[in-house]
Amino acid sequence: MFGALADATRRDIVRRAIDGEEGIVELAGHYPMSFAAVQKHVAILERAGLVTKQRVRRRKIVRTNVEGLRMARRLLDRFEQMWRGRIGRMTDLIATGSAAEATKEIDR
């Protein structure tokens, strides 16, 4: 999921597909690349569960899977919480270490 979102074009496709109004042909018109390249980006996003394609007559409409985005957000929130906790503990250790060093300097 995060590998799919690592690319700026794919993030933009997800953003544009939230409205679910554009097909792959219309999406391809927004990017300086071939239609086939945009199709590959959409396929990667689809495999990651971030977009779906729906056939409407002769068009393939690309829609953002909002639940897939929510899942990514929940995972990112968990990672952020974990890293904030680790950074807080490192800050405490550094402060404790600095205080201990200062005490040693005073004792000398």
Side-chain angles (χ1 to χ4, degrees):
M1 181 181 303
F2 295 119
L5 290 171
D7 183 84
T9 299
R10 290 193 287 267
R11 288 191 305 272
D12 191 62
I13 290 170
V14 169
R15 182 187 60 77
R16 289 177 186 277
I18 286 174
D19 294 334
E21 299 295 323
E22 293 186 302
I24 296 175
V25 173
E26 292 87 1
L27 283 172
H30 296 290
Y31 308 104
M33 61 183 73
S34 68
F35 174 78
V38 173
Q39 274 186 311
K40 286 181 183 180
H41 281 298
V42 170
I44 290 167
L45 290 166
E46 191 174 26
R47 280 194 303 273
L50 295 166
V51 300
T52 60
K53 287 188 297 192
Q54 182 179 9
R55 184 168 287 283
V56 176
R57 292 180 286 282
R58 293 172 30 145
R59 296 173 65 213
K60 286 188 180 175
I61 303 297
V62 180
R63 291 193 171 98
T64 297
N65 177 1
V66 177
E67 187 52 42
L69 279 181
R70 284 187 185 125
M71 183 188 326
R73 179 61 198 210
R74 285 191 299 269
L75 287 168
L76 287 173
D77 287 344
R78 285 185 200 155
F79 286 134
E80 179 183 14
Q81 190 175 30
M82 176 187 71
W83 281 107
R84 286 187 183 277
R86 288 181 180 182
I87 290 169
R89 288 191 300 276
M90 286 190 294
T91 302
D92 292 344
L93 285 171
I94 291 169
T96 303
S98 296
E101 286 297 316
T103 304
K104 285 181 187 176
E105 289 295 322
I106 292 172
D107 290 342
R108 289 185 191 169

